[in-house]
């Protein structure tokens, strides 16, 4: 099938883009990488009368890394963010998750902000943004607002963006000292959407004790789910079993042609323990490295100088 006829708009600035969006309202759709939208149009699951193609909008392809974290513009492709060493150093979970998003050809074209705007609860980056407590900044002719991830994903494939709003950037907070992270998932074929995926962020104290463990889930709830599993992880001899049980109890998967709800629930438990173990190991390693640097008179700034 071919898309239904539409009018194409090619704004060159954010102001031009939001002016068109204000004019066309619910009749319009933003076109970024097209990796989700074009198939939807081709199958005529949506028939917008106007496409606002932002690919020529200046200034939206920047990755800014500072002490607060990583801010990416709406035209930063998954692959560019995945390859960015400064972004990976500031927030390792970005690269850990991005390598699991679809296939390299799709990551070359698809944008991370587009993936967030698409609000698919099976998308890795929706889960990462929520787990990290990130934000999305949106512009419209009415002004600019910053939306926390916890308020951005309102339902499956439904975000808090209004029809006249363009998501211009997303901010992922930096990893703090003493934290480690990991992202694991199971898909039927490499590059497919995962049957279940789990991101973990663990925090340890200088003695290596786990003081925080949060996990983010994909494909097991209608919106990205984040669960605090610190108490379960610290619950004694059967900590792994308790953590898996807490994860299974927290998720709310639906069955589909790929897997039953019970299978996804079971996966959530197994993958939670796997992700948590990796995140804790990384956190312990990072604390050890910092300790050695402090003893030898070095610090983080010295290393990056
Ligand atoms: C075969 C295949 C496998 C895939 N597997 C995965 C996977 O495993 N994990 C995963 O996360 N994704 C997967 N994807 C989707 C991929 O990550 C897309 O790139 C992404 O979901 C959308 O990004 P995009 O830039 O292509 O957006 P588009 O397709 O251009 O747009 C998607 C939607 O978001 C809206 N939108 C885009 N940008 C903006 C913006 N700046 N402001 C407002 N609205 C905007 C569009 O209007 C549209 O509704 C897969 C895609 C394919 C084709």
């Amino acid at each position: 099938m071919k898309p239904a006829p539409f009018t194409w708009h090619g704004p060159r600035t954010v102001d031009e883009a939001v002016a068109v969006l204000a004019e066309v309202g619910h009749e319009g759709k933003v076109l970024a990488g097209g990796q989700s939208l074009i198939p939807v149009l081709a199958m005529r699951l949506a028939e917008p009368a106007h496409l606002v193609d932002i690919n020529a909008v200046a200034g939206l392809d920047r990755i800014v890394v500072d002490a607060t974290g990583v801010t990416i513009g709406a035209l930063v492709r998954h692959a560019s963010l995945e390859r960015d060493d400064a972004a990976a150093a500031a927030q390792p979970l970005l690269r850990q998750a991005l390598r699991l998003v679809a296939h390299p050809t799709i990551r070359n074209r698809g944008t991370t902000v587009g993936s967030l705007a698409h609000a698919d609860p099976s998308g890795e980056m929706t889960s990462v943004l929520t787990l990290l407590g990130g934000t999305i900044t949106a512009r419209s002719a009415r002004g600019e607002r910053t939306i926390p991830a916890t308020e951005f994903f309102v339902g499956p494939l439904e975000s808090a963006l209004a029809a006249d709003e363009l998501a211009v950037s997303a901010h992922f907070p930096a990893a703090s000292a003493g934290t480690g992270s990991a992202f694991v998932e199971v898909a039927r074929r490499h590059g497919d959407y995962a049957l279940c995926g789990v991101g973990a962020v663990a925090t340890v104290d200088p003695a290596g004790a786990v003081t925080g463990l949060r996990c983010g889930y994909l494909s097991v709830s209608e919106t990205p789910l984040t669960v605090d599993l610190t108490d379960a992880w610290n619950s004694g001899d059967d900590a792994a079993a308790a953590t898996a049980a807490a994860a299974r109890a927290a998720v709310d998967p639906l069955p589909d042609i790929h897997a039953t709800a019970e299978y996804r629930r079971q996966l959530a438990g197994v993958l939670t323990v796997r992700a948590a173990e990796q995140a804790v190991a990384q956190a312990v390693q990072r604390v050890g490295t910092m300790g050695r640097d402090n003893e030898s008179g070095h610090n983080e700034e010295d290393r990056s100088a």
Side-chain angles (χ1 to χ4, degrees), residues 212-215 226-232:
L213 175 66
R214 282 160 54 80
C215 288
T226 297
V227 185
D228 190 325
L229 293 165
T230 315
D231 289 344

Side-chain angles (χ1 to χ4, degrees), residues 62-223:
R62 296 194 191 115
I63 300 173
V64 177
V65 181
D66 61 22
T68 68
V70 181
T71 305
I72 57 166
L75 283 177
V76 171
R77 314 288 166 178
H78 292 306
S80 306
L81 184 56
E82 182 189 0
R83 281 196 293 262
D84 194 293
D85 289 335
Q91 182 41 266
L93 191 59
L94 292 176
R95 184 177 281 170
Q96 290 167 337
L98 280 161
R99 72 192 166 84
L100 298 170
V101 174
H103 306 277
T105 45
I106 290 162
R107 298 204 291 273
N108 283 341
R109 190 76 197 154
T111 65
T112 301
V113 171
S115 159
L116 300 171
H118 192 51
D120 190 335
S122 300
E124 284 78 3
M125 301 316 286
T126 54
S127 157
V128 167
L129 191 80
T130 310
L131 174 59
L132 296 177
T135 56
I136 299 235
T137 296
R139 280 267 301 275
S140 71
R142 295 170 288 126
E144 183 172 293
R145 65 179 179 134
T146 295
I147 310 161
T150 45
E151 294 167 21
F152 187 78
F153 303 107
V154 297
L157 303 179
E158 191 184 353
S159 80
L161 288 174
D164 65 344
E165 281 183 311
L166 177 70
V168 286
S169 64
H171 178 74
F172 298 88
S176 47
T179 63
S181 59
F183 204 102
V184 297
E185 65 180 37
V186 167
R188 284 170 68 90
R189 292 172 307 187
H190 176 69
D192 278 3
Y193 280 102
L195 297 177
C196 176
V198 183
V201 175
T203 309
V204 301
D205 67 15
V210 175
T211 56
L213 175 66
R214 282 160 54 80
C215 288
Y217 295 85
L218 59 93
S219 300
V220 286
S221 53
E222 294 206 326
T223 53

